[in-house]
Amino acid sequence: AVAATAAIGAPAKPLSPALRVWRNRNYLLFEAGSLPQSITTWIQRIGVTWLAWELTHSNAWVGATAAADLAPMIVLAPIAGAMADRASNAMWLLRLTKLLMLAQAILLAVLMYANLMSIELLFALSLATGVIHPYASAGRQIVLASSVVREDFPSAIALDSALFQACRFIGPALAAIMIVWWDVGSTFVAHIVGNAILLATLMSMTIEPRDRRGQIRRSLLIEIADSVNYARGHGAIWPLFLLLAVASILLRPVQELLPGFASKVFNAGPEGLGWLASSMGIGATLSATWIAFRGRIEGLSTWAITGGLILVLATLGFAATDQLWLGLIFAGLTAFGINTMSTSIQTITQSVVSDGMRGRVMSLYSLIFRGLPAIGSLVLGSIADKIGLSRTFGIVALMSLCVWGLVALKARAIGDAVRRDL
């Protein structure tokens, strides 16, 4: 009886951070809509890159199309972040951008099935996505942070990344099947459905407006400059952003130039492209899931730097082989490395940044992680047409290793800066 009483009176075992986060209704709705939309985002992305390759058989054009999707982030991300910080509720911005992305997917499908598609139109529509995305990303970062209580930040961000990366495995695999069984146009139709689902769930969410009383309005340029100075003055954000920038320019373009690897290096066609992209999705999903269940900030700066090293070494291995099975292993490791690094940096930044700077500083993160690969894709794609993909990425991986060493020397100071601002 005594034992039974003790058992009844025993405190309930606390939920793990990765399970506790789902108690937030808005977060549950947000992810329920984001999951199918993320899957179809990857489906359409594979469709666009393969269509660019089919239309031109040129690494330079594939890189240019990827750059059109990514490059506007460089110019527009700071502006979008400042606008999102000014808004009392960023939900309207997120809803509007998803509506525009729905329209873009519809236009892609119409042009494809009307036999009117050309590489120039594909480039233009990729550029349209690139213009929309900075505003979508800025709104998304604030809505994501507003959908959970602060103690759930690490798990919410990491789980969001884990789900997105799981879609990165599922989406390319489905895209490869769809292209082979049907056609490239089916990937655009799928994204129409995904965007419609996300819009429906966003309309069901209710985010409390942020208190903007007493906020001093200044010009957008001054507010953007403030965010840059804020990041530069932070002992953790600045060196980690430097590491992320080098990886984004020199190493991440492997993802955008996968069609060339699949076709010319591994001789594997669209099926090989799907396998390589899915392998990357598996590696990134494992990384993000581990960070989500880890559920704490402490030690993440060390893992961000470790992820950078894994990325560099795996890229060297990927560039050194022409065997598909080895390529799949190294592709998965590159994704594990870059996601460990990027998710750790994103989580650290979301946790230490002040609320008034959140939109602008997180837009700098988006500028680096999504915008700078445009430069790398365009430049490295052109170089690869002259000296080959494998040699190009072998050289840039060695260059990246030098920068990684400089950041690694500051590992202790970075960790101290994170602990100081938590």
Side-chain angles (χ1 to χ4, degrees):
V2 174
T5 303
I8 293 172
K13 184 178 179 180
L15 289 173
S16 71
L19 296 177
R20 186 182 64 221
V21 70
W22 298 108
R23 297 182 303 182
N24 299 278
R25 176 182 177 274
N26 280 321
Y27 185 77
L28 181 62
L29 285 170
F30 183 77
E31 296 299 347
S34 294
L35 183 62
Q37 197 265 350
S38 294
I39 291 174
T40 61
T41 294
W42 282 105
I43 289 175
Q44 176 167 292
R45 185 170 295 172
I46 293 297
V48 167
T49 56
W50 187 253
L51 181 57
W53 178 258
E54 280 193 328
L55 288 170
T56 65
H57 292 282
S58 164
N59 286 308
W61 263 116
V62 174
T65 303
D69 183 28
L70 301 173
M73 182 69 77
I74 299 173
V75 177
L76 297 178
I79 299 171
M83 289 178 60
D85 274 339
R86 287 183 171 192
S88 61
N89 193 335
M91 180 62 80
W92 71 268
L93 182 62
L94 187 57
R95 289 170 178 165
L96 175 61
T97 55
K98 295 307 175 184
L99 182 62
L100 292 174
M101 287 184 176
L102 173 62
Q104 188 262 7
I106 292 172
L107 190 53
L108 273 172
V110 169
L111 289 172
M112 189 68 195
Y113 287 117
N115 293 318
L116 297 174
M117 185 61 73
S118 66
I119 189 62
E120 292 80 11
L121 285 172
L122 186 64
F123 178 89
L125 288 170
S126 296
L127 183 62
T129 303
V131 171
I132 297 167
H133 191 82
Y135 299 95
S137 180
R140 192 180 196 281
Q141 293 286 0
I142 293 178
V143 169
L144 174 61
S146 301
S147 67
V148 296
V149 296
R150 190 171 184 83
E151 65 177 359
D152 289 336
F153 268 15
S155 289
I157 295 165
L159 275 172
D160 180 66
S161 176
L163 290 173
F164 181 77
Q165 300 300 347
C167 298
R168 182 176 166 181
F169 160 64
I170 298 168
L174 290 176
I177 294 171
M178 293 169 70
I179 292 171
V180 172
W181 285 8
W182 297 299
D183 53 29
V184 174
S186 64
T187 65
F188 308 145
V189 174
H191 199 39
I192 294 172
V193 176
N195 278 306
I197 292 173
L198 178 56
L199 270 173
T201 58
L202 290 177
M203 297 302 294
S204 301
M205 292 175 62
T206 304
I207 298 293
E208 289 295 324
R210 294 178 295 169
D211 188 357
R212 285 292 177 263
R213 290 175 297 180
Q215 183 183 28
I216 300 174
R217 284 290 182 91
R218 295 184 293 176
S219 73
L220 278 175
L221 288 178
I222 292 177
E223 291 188 355
I224 291 168
D226 286 345
S227 67
V228 174
N229 291 331
Y230 180 94
R232 287 183 62 186
H234 198 282
I237 294 176
W238 190 249
L240 290 177
F241 274 16
L242 172 62
L243 180 63
L244 186 66
V246 171
S248 296
I249 294 173
L250 298 182
L251 302 178
R252 195 181 148 202
V254 165
Q255 300 176 17
E256 276 67 47
L257 298 175
L258 273 184
F261 274 101
S263 180
K264 288 191 173 181
V265 177
F266 299 115
N267 297 313
E271 296 90 345
L273 174 61
W275 280 110
L276 287 167
S278 294
S279 178
M280 287 185 166
I282 292 172
T285 302
L286 291 174
S287 164
T289 302
W290 170 73
I291 294 172
F293 277 90
R294 186 176 183 273
R296 62 184 188 277
I297 300 294
E298 293 79 7
L300 268 188
S301 60
T302 299
W303 278 107
I305 296 170
T306 302
L309 180 60
I310 294 171
L311 171 62
V312 170
L313 297 179
T315 302
L316 281 171
F318 187 73
T321 185
D322 59 0
Q323 300 297 310
L324 182 59
W325 68 273
L326 273 176
L328 293 174
I329 293 172
F330 284 121
L333 287 173
T334 62
F336 184 92
I338 197 167
N339 192 76
T340 298
M341 178 182 64
S342 62
T343 303
S344 297
I345 293 173
Q346 181 186 9
T347 304
I348 288 168
T349 306
Q350 280 273 33
S351 299
V352 303
V353 72
S354 63
D355 286 338
M357 283 283 181
R358 187 176 306 281
R360 282 168 284 172
V361 174
M362 292 312 299
S363 287
L364 291 178
Y365 169 89
S366 297
L367 182 158
I368 293 169
F369 192 56
R370 183 175 170 85
L372 293 187
I375 298 174
S377 298
L378 194 59
V379 174
L380 296 182
S382 298
I383 294 173
D385 277 340
K386 295 179 175 62
I387 68 172
L389 285 163
S390 297
R391 184 177 298 176
T392 298
F393 281 97
I395 293 170
V396 298
L398 291 174
M399 293 168 58
S400 301
L401 185 60
C402 297
V403 178
W404 175 87
L406 295 175
V407 176
L409 291 174
K410 294 182 171 290
R412 179 173 292 183
I414 292 170
D416 290 342
V418 173
R419 286 187 290 273
R420 185 177 61 245
D421 286 347
L422 287 179

